[in-house]
Amino acid sequence: MEAIWNWFAWLYQEHGINLVVFYNSYDRGMFFNGLYLTVQMSVICIFLSTIIGILGAWLQGSALKIPRTIVYWYIQFFRNTPPLVQLYFFYFAVGNVLPRIENAGGGTSPIFSNLQWAIISFSFFAGAFNIEIFRAGIEAVPKSTIEAAESLGYSRLKAYITILLPLAFRISLPALNNNLVNLVKTTTLAYAIAVPELLYVSAQIWSEEANVREMMNLLLFIYIAIIGLLIFFMNRLERALKIPGYTAQ
Amino acid sequence: MKILHPYGYPSWIGKNPSPCVYRPGFGASMSNHRIGVALALAFIISVVAGETIAATAANPSVMATVIKWLPLVFKGFLMNLLVSILAMTIGTISGVALGLALVSLIQWVRRTSWFLTQFFRNAPWLVLVFYTIALIPFEVEIGSYTIPFPGWLKATLGLALPVMANTAEIVRGGIQSIPLGQWESAESLAFSRFQIIWSIILPQCFKRMIPPWMNLYAILTTASPLISLVGVNDALLMTRSALMAEGRSELLLPMYSALLIMFFIYCYPIAYGTVKLERRFSIK
């Protein structure tokens, strides 16, 4: 491992390509912590936003008007306002109104940290899109499938869980992929409220070391790699879930 | 042949959903709108009423303060609109070219354009904005002319890159959604490849490309406050400056709400029109 890090130091001395995040152990620690935080934040947001999506799609199919209206305006609000302003709204405005809790040191601190607000904000943002995606998937399941299930004596809930959702999920997967990729891209906005994720630590490093060019290229490369990995796994999932014979027209 | 539908509607479902299928959400939209407007009005009236009672001369009401700053924030909002329209124009023109390159018969053109499309589609927008801000020089000298590149123009270019890649995908999807028979019959009538694309394929898929393109514009507009992070005086930065000048924490909620509402009023009709158009085009 040490040899690899030394190679980057040599690269700097010989060719002037300053990838300080590999040969300097302090910057390296900071950079990889940022990378870890980005991945962690993405995974938590993907999980929460999927749950919001399933719950919201279920509420939208309800017979009652009130939950449908609420979900409709929730979706429209989060889709048609800037995610960055949403983040500021949550972190500065809502965070300011919420009561503060006492911490171990005797002082008070906000209920949610900036990282937690970022996770909440991005989950709501991506969740709004997920509801639409799952709803479209549910609507794309042919009515006759549900009728067939009903004629076999399935209750509505049972048919929903064992027949409708599994089929709808498969139909939604391509659109869901797209949205989850977007979600990972959106995590960079946490930079704005000083969450030490990948972009934020990179900005700190390039302003200290003045190696903007190298850091920018590295950053783009890493984000493309993370998103490439996500797409790879989602495609694997899509293939694994594929029902033979259910694809032909 | 597998036909890729431009709005992500899986072709293997069979038929398009019939227009009378019950759709929650946009289905009951008129009464939905009435309820939404009523709720918003009730909220604003209650806030204003509560505020005017509590206001004193030394401590002007929150509403009055927000209204005082609104023209400034709106000026910033115009900057957002300028940047979004400019980025959309640049992105669309280059994106159509890139999209045509995606269906080129020459392999290296296809490969290169595919790589560019994937790269700019998947890179985070904020990183691209930082990239162009940091790496484009602030002025370029061509002969005796000096062309300045102010920050907002560089940020616009940063936003135009992902727009270009997404437009390219829309164009490619649109072209591939035209049945193969159209290509074959045009070929049998001795149209050249350029003529086929220009006068037969593109006019047919133009209509189908409008809704996703409008959707892209709405997304771009909601992404435009990113330019505030690189110091362009947009609506978000104006809001932050106003809040800093006032230094009153009770202003945070109404000021950010006003900003959100401003974007919502602009973007919601676009999103609504997109859905309406999409449905109209998918019926036949």
Side-chain angles (χ1 to χ4, degrees):
Chain A
M1 215 56 190
E2 204 53 42
I4 299 175
W5 307 140
N6 287 336
W7 183 80
F8 282 103
W10 170 84
L11 191 70
Y12 179 42
Q13 280 157 12
E14 291 295 309
H15 299 283
I17 299 173
N18 186 6
L19 285 167
V20 65
V21 293
F22 292 117
Y23 63 78
N24 181 316
S25 65
Y26 177 74
D27 285 344
R28 187 166 64 220
M30 203 157 94
F31 188 74
F32 281 99
N33 278 340
L35 178 60
Y36 176 69
L37 195 60
T38 288
V39 172
Q40 191 189 22
M41 205 156 66
S42 304
V43 171
I44 296 176
C45 287
I46 286 175
F47 179 73
L48 289 180
S49 69
T50 311
I51 289 181
I52 291 176
I54 291 174
L55 274 181
W58 181 70
L59 279 178
Q60 271 223 317
S62 113
L64 297 173
K65 186 147 178 55
I66 295 167
R68 276 210 316 265
T69 311
I70 293 172
V71 172
Y72 174 82
W73 284 108
Y74 158 70
I75 295 171
Q76 296 309 326
F77 182 77
F78 276 89
R79 282 188 72 144
N80 292 308
T81 52
L84 182 59
V85 183
Q86 288 164 18
L87 181 64
Y88 277 169
F89 179 79
F90 276 114
Y91 179 59
F92 291 117
V94 180
N96 180 53
V97 178
L98 289 185
R100 298 169 73 86
I101 48 167
E102 250 178 60
N103 57 20
T108 60
S109 58
I111 293 183
F112 297 115
S113 68
N114 52 358
L115 172 64
Q116 284 162 331
W117 273 123
I119 289 174
I120 292 170
S121 170
F122 300 151
S123 299
F124 275 127
F125 172 68
F129 285 83
N130 280 350
I131 294 176
E132 293 268 271
I133 290 167
F134 285 133
R135 200 205 69 208
I138 287 173
E139 275 172 13
V141 175
K143 262 242 149 37
S144 52
T145 313
I146 308 299
E147 283 161 7
E150 269 169 26
S151 73
L152 287 172
Y154 276 86
S155 69
R156 281 200 80 80
L157 183 69
K158 198 97 194 224
Y160 193 80
I161 293 172
T162 55
I163 293 165
L164 192 59
L165 266 190
L167 290 178
F169 186 69
R170 286 169 170 84
I171 297 169
S172 319
L173 260 180
L176 187 66
N177 279 356
N178 256 337
N179 190 36
L180 295 186
V181 166
N182 257 335
L183 175 59
V184 175
K185 282 154 55 177
T186 308
T187 59
T188 51
L189 299 193
Y191 164 88
I193 56 169
V195 175
E197 44 77 61
L198 192 56
L199 180 60
Y200 187 79
V201 295
S202 303
Q204 278 184 322
I205 292 171
W206 80 54
S207 52
E208 267 171 36
E209 303 282 336
N211 58 344
V212 180
R213 194 178 302 259
E214 290 94 334
M215 285 308 292
M216 281 288 181
N217 288 320
L218 182 67
L219 203 56
L220 265 181
F221 174 78
I222 289 184
Y223 272 112
I224 296 280
I226 293 175
I227 286 161
L229 263 179
L230 177 68
I231 293 175
F232 174 77
F233 280 115
M234 290 302 282
N235 283 345
R236 282 283 293 269
L237 182 69
E238 214 172 304
R239 236 175 302 147
L241 288 179
K242 200 166 161 184
I243 305 172
Y246 193 64
T247 52
Q249 192 167 328
Chain B
M1 184 193 140
K2 195 187 167 201
I3 296 165
L4 287 170
H5 281 261
Y7 345 123
Y9 185 78
S11 57
W12 49 271
I13 303 298
K15 53 181 173 32
N16 280 347
S18 70
C20 55
V21 166
Y22 168 65
R23 293 203 176 202
F26 278 108
S29 54
M30 263 342 276
S31 64
N32 255 341
H33 285 165
R34 240 175 277 138
I35 295 174
V37 170
L39 281 178
L41 277 181
F43 176 72
I44 292 173
I45 289 171
S46 65
V47 169
V48 172
E51 277 302 317
T52 25
I53 295 166
T56 57
N59 193 16
S61 84
V62 170
M63 257 310 152
T65 322
V66 172
I67 289 168
K68 185 180 87 188
W69 288 107
L70 265 186
L72 188 74
V73 175
F74 188 73
K75 240 164 114 186
F77 185 68
L78 290 181
M79 187 71 194
N80 284 79
L81 295 193
L82 173 71
V83 166
S84 69
I85 290 170
L86 208 58
M88 198 67 195
T89 313
I90 300 171
T92 303
I93 293 170
S94 49
V96 169
L98 191 63
L100 290 177
L102 277 175
V103 293
S104 159
L105 290 178
I106 308 161
Q107 200 183 37
W108 68 265
V109 174
R110 220 167 43 230
R111 290 224 171 124
T112 319
S113 54
W114 180 85
F115 176 79
L116 282 177
T117 311
Q118 293 305 320
F119 187 83
F120 288 121
R121 240 164 66 98
N122 290 327
W125 295 44
L126 183 55
V127 178
L128 287 176
V129 170
F130 274 136
Y131 203 88
T132 48
I133 283 282
L135 299 185
I136 294 179
F138 67 96
E139 57 182 28
V140 180
E141 273 180 47
I142 302 174
S144 55
Y145 292 100
T146 311
I147 304 169
F149 268 121
W152 67 269
L153 197 59
K154 289 197 273 186
T156 306
L157 288 180
L159 289 176
L161 288 173
V163 172
M164 171 186 80
N166 283 295
T167 309
E169 276 290 289
I170 292 171
V171 170
R172 188 192 60 92
I175 290 176
Q176 289 190 346
S177 76
I178 301 299
L180 203 57
Q182 294 285 326
W183 290 86
E184 284 165 352
S185 42
E187 242 166 80
S188 71
L189 290 170
F191 278 87
S192 72
R193 190 176 160 83
F194 175 78
Q195 282 174 318
I196 295 176
I197 289 183
W198 189 249
S199 48
I200 294 178
I201 302 299
L202 278 185
Q204 290 188 70
C205 57
F206 179 71
K207 214 166 68 173
R208 297 188 190 185
M209 294 187 308
I210 294 288
W213 184 77
M214 278 167 61
N215 193 28
L216 181 61
Y217 178 68
I219 292 172
L220 170 66
T221 309
T222 59
S224 66
L226 294 184
I227 59 178
S228 73
L229 293 180
V230 291
V232 181
N233 278 325
D234 81 326
L236 181 56
L237 203 63
M238 288 298 181
T239 307
R240 302 206 66 185
S241 316
L243 284 168
M244 221 173 279
E246 287 285 338
R248 291 163 61 188
S249 65
E250 70 268 26
L251 275 177
L252 285 165
L253 202 55
M255 283 294 272
Y256 280 120
S257 303
L259 186 59
L260 283 173
I261 290 169
M262 213 179 264
F263 274 98
F264 186 80
I265 290 173
Y266 184 73
C267 291
Y268 180 70
I270 299 176
Y272 189 70
T274 307
V275 173
K276 285 273 138 141
L277 274 185
E278 212 165 71
R279 191 155 328 148
R280 203 161 92 205
F281 293 158
S282 71
I283 285 173
K284 359 171 234 162

